[in-house]
Amino acid sequence: MSLNKKTLCAVCAAVMLAFSGCSLGGESSTAEQEQQSAQTTEQQAEPVDAEVEEPDEDPMLAPERVVVTYLRAANAEFDRSMIKLMTDDYAAQYEYMKENMGHDDEYADEGSEQDFKYEFDHEKSGFIDEVNVEESYSKACEIYVTVTYGEDQEPTSQYIILILDDKDDSWKICFAGTKEQAYTEGLIKDERSDQAMAQAKTVYEAAEVAFAELSETDDYKFEYMNYISTENDEFVNRIKELLPSDLKASYFTVFLDGTKLDHIVWGESLGSDLMVTYPAE
């Protein structure tokens, strides 16, 4: 009987010890959980990456992407996708040019893309005030880019004007060529071009006087559609006589339309980087 009591006491002691161990283990587990929960709460309180404000994207990147697509397409003989990147007016001019050059919609561009290289001049590129185009637009920019088609080809510089088309809020190309050509077509103007336009007006008015004088005589006959200032022609020489001294050596071309004076293209000199048309088309 005494042995049974001892045995019973031992069993009870073992059971209590077991329960005591479980209890201690449970307290330890709960403490760890509370610590982990506190750490989780602290981590959640910290700002996550998605909430950190990122710097705004360079506004010139969007039009530059359009230019890259345009230049890549131009690496082929003809690419219909180029039309989608252009304003309506420029696309119509491009279509007309391609039709009159005898090209069609078929082209092969095998390996052309790997030979295509370009580099933007970010210092010269930027937004401009306005462009003389028919389309409605919110913004305009000019981009200078050097492009090379093929390892054997020389790099060429291009001046490209884009507008943010209001119809579908997308960047469209309205001109590609040289800035001189853009001035000549009257697409852009600035302080320099305004001054050049004033000088061109003076030349145009002298051409009007010379044209009227020679039209009244039987000694001179207008035989050509245009007359260049470098030619030795009575009409050209008479224009120069009427010009002020600072414009006598300038370069100009006078265009006739049938039996009347139409317009002139004027520059400070032959090969000038600024040529303007007066009256502006």
Side-chain angles (χ1 to χ4, degrees), residues 16-17 20 30 32 60 116 118 146 162 183 191 212 242-243 245 247 255-256 272:
M16 290 177 65
L17 182 62
S20 175
T30 302
E32 292 177 357
M60 288 296 291
F116 167 70
Y118 62 90
T146 301
L162 300 92
Y183 279 126
E191 185 176 344
L242 295 168
L243 291 175
S245 58
L247 292 180
F255 292 86
L256 305 183
S272 172

Side-chain angles (χ1 to χ4, degrees), residues 3 8 33 71 73 81 101 142 151 155 159 161 192 195 245:
L3 179 64
L8 181 60
Q33 290 177 358
L71 294 174
S81 64
M101 290 177 64
E142 56 184 2
E151 296 181 358
Y159 173 79
I161 303 176
R192 286 180 63 216
Q195 182 179 3
S245 58

Side-chain angles (χ1 to χ4, degrees), residues 13-14 16 20 36 43 48 68 77 108 210 227 267 276:
M16 290 177 65
S20 175
Q36 293 175 355
Q43 291 174 353
V48 295
V68 172
E77 181 180 355
Y227 293 81
V276 296

Side-chain angles (χ1 to χ4, degrees), residues 133-277:
V133 295
E134 295 181 0
E135 282 81 4
S136 175
Y137 61 93
S138 304
K139 296 180 181 179
C141 69
E142 56 184 2
I143 290 180
Y144 293 81
V145 59
T146 301
V147 59
T148 306
Y149 294 118
E151 296 181 358
D152 299 332
Q153 301 295 319
E154 291 292 327
T156 59
S157 298
Q158 288 206 35
Y159 173 79
I160 299 176
I161 303 176
L162 300 92
I163 61 171
L164 185 59
D165 195 333
D166 288 345
K167 294 195 298 294
D168 54 9
D169 196 36
S170 63
W171 284 99
K172 299 286 181 65
I173 293 174
C174 60
F175 175 81
T178 66
K179 192 164 188 176
E180 177 182 331
Q181 292 170 333
Y183 279 126
T184 303
E185 294 185 21
L187 289 175
I188 56 173
K189 62 179 182 178
D190 53 23
E191 185 176 344
R192 286 180 63 216
S193 65
D194 287 343
Q195 182 179 3
M197 194 66 76
Q199 293 172 313
K201 179 182 178 183
T202 300
V203 177
Y204 180 83
E205 291 173 346
E208 280 187 313
V209 174
F211 184 82
E213 289 179 353
L214 293 175
S215 296
E216 295 176 356
T217 69
D218 296 330
D219 298 332
Y220 184 83
K221 182 178 181 181
F222 294 97
E223 302 180 73
Y224 310 106
M225 294 178 62
N226 59 73
Y227 293 81
I228 305 175
S229 59
T230 53
E231 298 172 344
N232 184 18
D233 180 88
E234 187 176 350
F235 178 38
V236 172
N237 293 334
R238 179 56 183 149
I239 294 174
K240 292 180 178 179
E241 290 174 5
L242 295 168
L243 291 175
S245 58
D246 61 329
L247 292 180
K248 291 184 184 294
S250 63
Y251 177 80
F252 57 85
T253 302
V254 181
F255 292 86
L256 305 183
D257 181 11
T259 58
K260 62 183 178 63
L261 182 65
D262 190 64
H263 68 280
I264 69 163
V265 173
W266 181 89
E268 291 182 347
S269 61
L270 180 62
S272 172
D273 64 347
L274 175 58
M275 305 285 285
V276 296
T277 301

Side-chain angles (χ1 to χ4, degrees), residues 52-106:
V52 177
E53 292 187 5
E54 296 292 338
D56 293 336
E57 182 181 81
D58 185 347
M60 288 296 291
L61 288 180
E64 283 182 355
R65 293 189 192 106
V66 174
V67 170
V68 172
T69 305
Y70 171 85
L71 294 174
R72 180 176 289 114
N75 199 14
E77 181 180 355
F78 180 82
D79 192 337
R80 176 62 58 179
S81 64
M82 294 174 68
I83 301 297
K84 297 179 181 179
L85 305 172
M86 302 175 182
T87 59
D88 295 340
D89 184 56
Y90 187 58
Q93 293 181 39
Y94 184 82
E95 289 270 27
Y96 178 82
M97 178 188 70
K98 286 297 180 182
E99 289 176 5
N100 285 271
M101 290 177 64
H103 294 285
D104 54 28
D105 293 350
E106 299 298 326

Side-chain angles (χ1 to χ4, degrees), residues 32-50:
E32 292 177 357
Q33 290 177 358
E34 290 177 352
Q35 183 178 2
Q36 293 175 355
S37 176
Q39 291 176 348
T40 302
T41 303
E42 184 179 351
Q43 291 174 353
Q44 290 177 345
E46 296 177 355
V48 295
D49 293 342

